[in-house]
Amino acid sequence: MSTTTGTPAAPVTTSRTYPRWASLAVLCAGALMTILDGTIVTVAMPAVQRDLGFSGPGLAWVVNAYLIPFGGLLLLFGRLGDLVGRKRMFTAGLAVFTAASVACGLATSQGALVAARAVQGAGGAMTSAVVLGMLVSLFPEPREQARSIAVFSAVGSVGATLGTFLGGALTQALSWHWIFLINLPIGVAAWLAAVRILAREPGAGLRRGADGPGAALVTGALMLTVYVIVGSGDRSTSATLLLAALALALLVAFTVRQARAEHPLLRLRMLRSRTLSGANGVQILMIATMYGFQFIGALYLQRVLGYGELHTGLAFLPAPLAIGVLMLGLSARMTGRFGAYRVLLAGLVLITVGMALLSRAPAGGSYSDVLPPMLLMAAGFAAAMPPLTGLAMAGAREEDAGLASGLFNTTQVVGGSLGLAALSTLAASRTDGLLHAGAESVPATAAGYQLAFRVATVIAVAALGLAAATLRPRRA
């Protein structure tokens, strides 16, 4: 990555004699645990549905209940971390996340699981909101900072996909409850390491203020938007439009609040940057495509090809391996040689081609219909994500670097949540329509997934077009 996320006022040293890279390992471990739980439930979805009786569209809330608080609260907890201290926020987030994981694992009803997942998302936001700020403080020198951010980005990208494999292995070997209960020993170990290794950073003090009403407005707007998409097939058109209008009103209220608040979550002047706004818009579309692939691709392997949970996890394993190897080994070199803009476009082209090939996967298909598109999308994501991050941060002023980081994390979660909601609802609606028309179960299910993959291809094309229009470097 050729750009950094801003220069902190002063480098941070650990309170003990541990090297800074040990602190990086702790930060990566904490972030990895929260990122894994965004995707680890994917393969376990059929088992959760059988056990707790979720409907098809309702099943997406097992994921969305985590993603929406996570995305909606990142800006607030990032601000609170600046006020109360980043280490304090990080360790508190680990504690909340671990406790909520235990509640998820012990859940015996739909409501209990969804509620615990929401608390998990809040804990994940507390942890993730301050990680990047702590990282750039630990590594103020540009070259080391670039290396540390590359490591952190690779851990996050691999973790998001690796969760599919771990979810399948734990579900088949034990039960779906253990995809959450496994976080108890990991979370305790990460918390102890964080307390011992990370340096204490004094905050600016709560008297500086944090925009609680703004956080409530944006979280409500995001949650209601996803609810509108998920339940659109179960309610009348007039009710859907009314709820959509309410979600838009909340978003407008958030914008007005940010323009007038003394300490806003989001300084609106930041959005005037073409590069920053364009990069965040591209990320929403790209992540929507990739999350749709992870969720619906796993269901295709299980419900169309008849794979078990472990087999599905193994089938997805080449993706995180390819992402890790390419992102750490080639992405930074390619960006340095050809420029962030060209590498980003090449990555988006690979994602688009891979999704277009996947949309042709038939009811009587095999793993050979899935593996080549999966590898293309993994290579595209590995190529696109680091330069996209660099472009987003390059579009922010130095004093807004932390806020730009929070915004970039937020749009990542928004894209995943909205993409998952929209594509899963389209697939379920198409399948239900064919079943009511007398089609057999497997062909109808495959047709629903094909429709979702075709729509995801269109979203990927839109990401490519937006990147080409907004992120082309200006001539000197």
Side-chain angles (χ1 to χ4, degrees), residues 23-387:
S23 297
L24 174 63
V26 172
L27 295 177
C28 287
L32 178 63
M33 189 171 66
T34 61
I35 291 169
L36 279 173
D37 262 65
T39 58
I40 199 171
V41 300
T42 302
V43 180
M45 287 294 202
V48 174
Q49 187 175 25
R50 289 193 302 267
D51 196 3
L52 301 184
F54 279 97
S55 64
L59 189 62
W61 276 99
V62 178
V63 176
N64 286 329
Y66 177 85
L67 292 177
I68 295 303
F70 188 99
L73 294 172
L74 277 169
L75 294 177
L76 175 62
F77 287 137
R79 174 62 176 164
L80 286 176
D82 292 336
L83 299 179
V84 304
R86 293 169 182 167
K87 177 180 178 178
R88 183 177 297 176
M89 182 61 66
F90 183 82
T91 53
L94 286 178
V96 171
F97 183 90
T98 303
S101 296
V102 175
C104 289
L106 299 177
T108 57
S109 66
Q110 296 180 19
L113 179 59
V114 170
R117 286 286 283 167
V119 178
Q120 246 194 336
M126 295 171 70
T127 300
S128 300
V130 296
V131 167
L132 194 55
M134 298 175 75
L135 188 150
V136 298
S137 296
L138 283 167
F139 299 94
E141 195 274 322
R143 182 171 297 181
E144 283 192 342
Q145 188 176 110
R147 288 177 55 200
S148 65
I149 291 175
V151 171
F152 182 79
S153 299
V155 167
S157 300
V158 171
T161 311
L162 190 59
T164 305
F165 166 73
L166 295 177
L170 289 171
T171 300
Q172 185 156 321
L174 299 170
S175 74
W176 66 264
H177 298 276
W178 283 95
I179 65 176
F180 302 113
L181 294 176
I182 194 65
N183 287 332
L184 177 59
I186 298 174
V188 171
W191 185 86
L192 290 173
V195 170
R196 180 176 178 81
I197 294 175
L198 296 181
R200 180 176 299 175
E201 297 182 3
L206 285 174
R207 287 180 297 178
R208 294 286 301 273
D211 188 16
L217 287 170
V218 72
T219 303
L222 294 175
M223 187 173 296
L224 186 56
T225 299
V226 175
Y227 176 72
V228 169
I229 297 173
V230 170
S232 60
D234 300 327
R235 67 174 76 93
S236 66
T237 302
S238 59
T240 298
L241 292 175
L242 179 61
L243 291 173
L246 179 58
L248 180 61
L250 288 174
L251 186 59
V252 171
F254 170 73
T255 304
V256 173
R257 168 74 187 178
Q258 298 314 287
R260 298 178 178 179
E262 183 178 0
H263 301 290
L265 286 178
L266 177 64
R267 297 185 181 97
L268 298 181
R269 62 175 172 79
M270 291 176 55
L271 301 181
R272 298 172 188 169
S273 167
R274 176 178 62 93
T275 303
L276 186 146
S277 298
N280 279 278
V282 170
Q283 177 169 238
I284 288 176
L285 298 172
M286 184 180 75
I287 297 298
T289 302
M290 297 302 295
Y291 261 86
F293 157 69
Q294 286 183 322
F295 181 77
I296 298 175
L299 293 179
Y300 173 84
L301 290 175
Q302 293 181 72
R303 295 179 176 176
V304 177
L305 301 188
Y307 283 22
E309 287 88 354
L310 180 58
H311 198 181
T312 301
L314 289 172
F316 267 86
L317 193 55
L321 294 178
I323 290 173
V325 170
L326 294 173
M327 189 173 285
L328 287 176
L330 292 177
S331 181
R333 296 179 186 176
M334 298 293 287
T335 301
R337 181 173 181 180
F338 299 105
Y341 175 72
R342 291 187 179 91
V343 175
L344 171 61
L345 291 188
L348 291 173
V349 168
L350 290 177
I351 291 173
T352 302
V353 172
M355 188 60 74
L357 292 175
L358 191 61
S359 68
R360 303 174 62 185
S366 65
Y367 186 52
S368 61
D369 296 308
V370 177
L371 181 59
M374 179 194 302
L375 293 177
L376 281 174
M377 284 185 281
F381 186 78
M385 194 62 190

Side-chain angles (χ1 to χ4, degrees), residues 414-442:
V414 169
S417 181
L418 296 182
L420 174 60
L423 295 175
S424 62
T425 300
L426 283 172
S429 298
R430 173 66 171 163
T431 297
D432 290 344
L434 292 174
L435 289 175
H436 291 156
E440 295 182 2
S441 177
V442 173

